[in-house]
Amino acid sequence: MTKAGASGAKSRARKTQQATGVKYTTLRRTPAARARRGRVVQFLTEGYEVATLPYQIAAAWARQGLHVLLLHDYKRYRTDLDLYSKQAKKRKAAEARRQAHPGPRSTVLLHPDQLRGRGRLVEQHTPWHVREQGDHDGWELLLGEALEVGRAHFDVVVLMGHGVSVRLSLVDDFVLLAHTAEGIPSRESLPRGKDREGRTEWVPLSPAQSAALLRDRHLADLHHPVALLGMITAETRYSGDTPARLDPEFVKAVKENMASVGLPLLGHITLDGHNDAKTLVERQNKPSTAATAPPAHGVVETAQAIQRRW
C-alpha cells in the first residue's frame, strides 16, 4: 500500500520537483530502485576568461544524454541599511528580509526538444549558506543535503561558484580550468645574459619543460591544494592572431608527461575573443546563455575526456 501524508511518495516527488526542476510525472514514474548516484564535480577557475566554460561543458554532457545539475548558492545579501534605521517599522522589515529563507529556484537551461529527449540541463540556486558567522558545520550540512538530492536525480552535479570553498568529503572530482596566453607553451621568453636594457629572447622548450611550465604557472595560484582529476587549458584567440602550429609529437609528449605526474591534460579549448560587445556583456551578466550557444572549439572533446576518467 502506498504511504500517504507528508512523507509519502507523492509528497516526496513534489518536494524533489520543486528542488530540482524535474517534471513531477517523470519523478513519479521513476522507481526508487533506479535512483541515480551522480558524481559531484567542481571546476576550479582562474578568472572571468573561463567563467562560461562550466556551462559549456555541462551542456556538452547533456547533449551526450546525461542529466546534469548546475548547483549555485544564493549570492550573499548586501548590507541592508534599513537594519540601522531609526524607524522601528523599517528595522523589523529589514530583519524579516534578512531571516527569510528563499528556498530553491530551478531553471531548465536546455529543454528536451533541444536534447532530443535524452539529456537534461538544469540550473538550481539553493540557499545552503548559513548566514550566522562561524557556523561552518551548518553550512556544510545544508550543502551536503543539496548535493545528495542532486546525486539522487542527476548523473552529474556541478558545484558552481568561483568563491565556493572546497569540501573534500562532498566533491568527487576537482578539475582545474587554466587560461593560458598561448595554449601549450613551446617556447619561453627569457632575459639575455648581461643585457642591461632588459631585452629578452625566445628559447625553445622541450615537452618536459612545457609540461613543467604549465604546472608551475597554474598550480602556484591554486588557493585550494587538492587532488585534481586533471587540467583543462583554454586560450582566447582574436582575429588576426596566428595560431602556433605545434608538432603533434610534441603535444603528445607534453600530455604523456602531464599524465605521468598524475595531472592529465584533459583538453585544450579555444575561446573566440572577437565576440561583439553585446554578446560579451550578456554573458557577463547571464553566463547561462553560454549553455545554449554553440560550444567553443575543443569543449565537446574535453567533456568526453572528463567522462572517460569517471
Side-chain angles (χ1 to χ4, degrees), residues 48-66:
Y48 71 93
E49 296 96 342
V50 294
T52 63
L53 285 184
Y55 285 95
Q56 295 190 43
I57 294 172
W61 285 331
R63 292 187 176 97
Q64 293 167 15
L66 297 180

Side-chain angles (χ1 to χ4, degrees), residues 199-215:
R199 290 179 295 181
T200 61
E201 62 179 348
W202 289 100
V203 178
L205 301 176
S206 68
Q209 290 172 327
S210 176
L213 190 59
L214 280 175
R215 292 190 292 269

Side-chain angles (χ1 to χ4, degrees), residues 9-10 51 57 62 73 78 82 92 104 110 119 121 135 150 159 161 211 259 273:
K10 289 184 178 180
I57 294 172
D73 186 15
R78 296 180 179 178
D82 284 347
K92 289 182 179 180
L110 289 177
L121 181 59
D135 193 354
L159 182 57

Side-chain angles (χ1 to χ4, degrees), residues 101-216:
H101 193 274
R105 298 291 183 269
S106 300
T107 304
V108 177
L109 298 183
L110 289 177
H111 295 276
D113 57 338
Q114 297 172 286
L115 300 171
R116 299 178 182 178
R118 296 180 298 172
R120 178 176 292 119
L121 181 59
V122 177
E123 183 176 38
Q124 177 184 318
H125 290 77
T126 300
W128 70 66
H129 182 73
V130 177
R131 295 181 179 83
E132 288 75 10
Q133 294 183 354
D135 193 354
H136 298 294
D137 294 336
W139 181 92
E140 187 163 345
L141 176 63
L142 293 175
L143 174 58
E145 291 175 352
L147 291 175
E148 285 304 309
V149 172
R151 285 181 188 271
H153 298 282
F154 291 86
D155 300 305
V156 186
V157 180
V158 182
L159 182 57
M160 301 289 285
H162 176 71
V164 177
S165 299
V166 166
R167 289 295 182 269
L168 295 176
S169 61
L170 301 177
V171 177
D172 298 306
D173 302 306
F174 297 96
V175 179
L176 177 63
L177 288 176
H179 189 263
T180 68
E182 55 178 325
I184 297 176
S186 60
R187 58 178 187 165
E188 176 72 344
S189 179
L190 299 175
R192 287 185 175 182
K194 299 180 180 180
D195 191 333
R196 296 181 180 179
E197 297 181 6
R199 290 179 295 181
T200 61
E201 62 179 348
W202 289 100
V203 178
L205 301 176
S206 68
Q209 290 172 327
S210 176
L213 190 59
L214 280 175
R215 292 190 292 269
D216 290 343

Side-chain angles (χ1 to χ4, degrees), residues 23-62:
K23 288 185 177 180
Y24 170 79
T25 53
T26 301
L27 293 171
R28 289 286 290 141
R29 288 197 301 264
T30 304
R34 282 165 38 199
R36 287 178 169 83
R37 179 63 183 175
R39 298 191 71 84
V40 175
V41 179
Q42 185 174 358
F43 291 99
L44 306 180
T45 64
E46 295 185 333
Y48 71 93
E49 296 96 342
V50 294
T52 63
L53 285 184
Y55 285 95
Q56 295 190 43
I57 294 172
W61 285 331

